[in-house]
DNA sequence: TTATCTGCAAACATTTTGCAGCGAG
DNA sequence: CTCGCTGCAAAATGTTTGCAGATAA
């Protein structure tokens, strides 16, 4: 926790994540780095993503198949993601009304420190069309 | 999809699930069955839970560590769960307002077939007290 | 009888870890 | 010079699958 070193690997991962708009898995990121000529061990990618996510630099999301996806969190504030099942495109969703609803749960149930994970999946317009014509 | 057979294994799993109040993993269920003297293959437990969940008999939930948890769904209709971080106690939550909100997302974003996963975690009143005194 | 289910073991996919060597500070 | 970081390969985890034999219907 005291010393964090700036290595070639961490720089490369940080830079790549800056350029990516959507959620990617550790494996995808490892592959993208390889395509750029960055020869980085898969284990290092996992370790680095995990560490950066833990420190709040990334949003984390789990797919229905058990993969962990990471993305640089751009907007501040709490929000959720609507992910296309087919192409992975992501839309950020802010639903103040929902947050309010969750907050009220605390009173109703007696539970404290109520946190939540909301994942939204759908098929985006483009993919829906493609699927319809096949 | 046509024929479903009633086997010793399925009966045992169905019966055990009837008695369990909270979410359990396939591995836990397999172990509980073994304790009862029900010698059922782990693969069968996975297959059966998967099938029963797919047919809507169980609620499914994924933990942060990637395990899939199952529980007999008591209420009919769509709802979510507020799970105590400490003791695992579960409260079912129905939030019609939230469902409406999700439905409206479809119009706003152009995404179709929007589904969602909502997981709520908190500390129940009892556990909160215990934690305060320690 | 016969299609379905089961158990086993092997296969899988994702992620984690032990350890020796490398390299940032 | 040091301690943290990296790569590799092995291990761990949780889950799925192929197949031959068992079994509901």
């Amino acid at each position: 926790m005291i010393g964090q070193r700036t290595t070639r690997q961490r720089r490369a991962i940080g830079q790549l994540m800056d350029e990516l708009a959507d959620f990617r898995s550790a494996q995808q990121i490892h592959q993208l780095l390889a395509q750029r000529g960055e020869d980085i061990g898969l284990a290092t990618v996992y370790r680095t993503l995990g560490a950066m996510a833990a420190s709040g630099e990334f949003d984390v999301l789990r797919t229905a198949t058990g993969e962990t996806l990471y993305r640089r969190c751009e907007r501040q504030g709490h929000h959720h993601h609507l992910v296309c099942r087919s192409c992975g495109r992501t839309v950020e969703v802010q639903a103040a009304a929902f947050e309010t609803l969750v907050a009220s749960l605390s009173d109703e149930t007696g539970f404290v420190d109520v946190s939540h994970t909301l994942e939204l999946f759908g098929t985006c317009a483009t993919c829906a069309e493609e699927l319809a014509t096949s």
Side-chain angles (χ1 to χ4, degrees), chain A:
Chain A
M1 259 320 184
I2 316 153
Q4 289 281 90
R5 290 183 182 174
T6 308
T7 63
R8 171 181 69 83
Q9 292 83 342
R10 291 184 184 184
R11 226 168 328 183
I13 292 173
Q15 194 173 311
L16 175 62
M17 293 304 282
D18 282 341
E19 297 169 31
L20 295 176
D22 291 334
F23 284 93
R24 297 295 151 93
S25 69
Q27 311 256 3
Q28 287 179 314
I29 291 162
H30 175 250
Q31 224 173 281
L32 287 170
L33 288 166
Q35 283 170 21
R36 294 189 170 197
E38 290 286 0
D39 195 0
I40 300 180
L42 182 56
T44 299
V45 174
Y46 272 105
R47 276 189 284 230
T48 303
L49 289 174
M52 294 174 96
S55 78
E57 286 192 65
F58 297 150
D59 276 343
V60 179
L61 180 148
R62 302 199 117 252
T63 68
T65 59
E67 283 165 306
T68 305
L69 308 183
Y70 301 90
R71 200 192 70 164
R72 175 85 70 189
C73 195
E74 284 155 28
R75 291 195 202 175
Q76 76 283 45
H78 190 71
H79 59 264
H80 301 283
H81 303 98
L82 174 52
V83 185
C84 177
R85 286 189 194 87
S86 178
C87 69
R89 181 183 310 182
T90 310
V91 175
E92 291 195 3
V93 173
Q94 305 217 49
F98 168 64
E99 306 301 332
T100 310
L101 220 90
V102 170
S104 70
L105 266 183
S106 184
D107 297 329
E108 289 174 32
T109 60
F111 277 55
V112 297
D113 296 332
V114 177
S115 66
H116 61 276
T117 306
L118 173 60
E119 287 161 31
L120 295 153
F121 299 97
T123 307
C124 75
T126 312
C127 289
E129 256 178 68
E130 275 175 34
L131 291 172
T133 57
S134 66

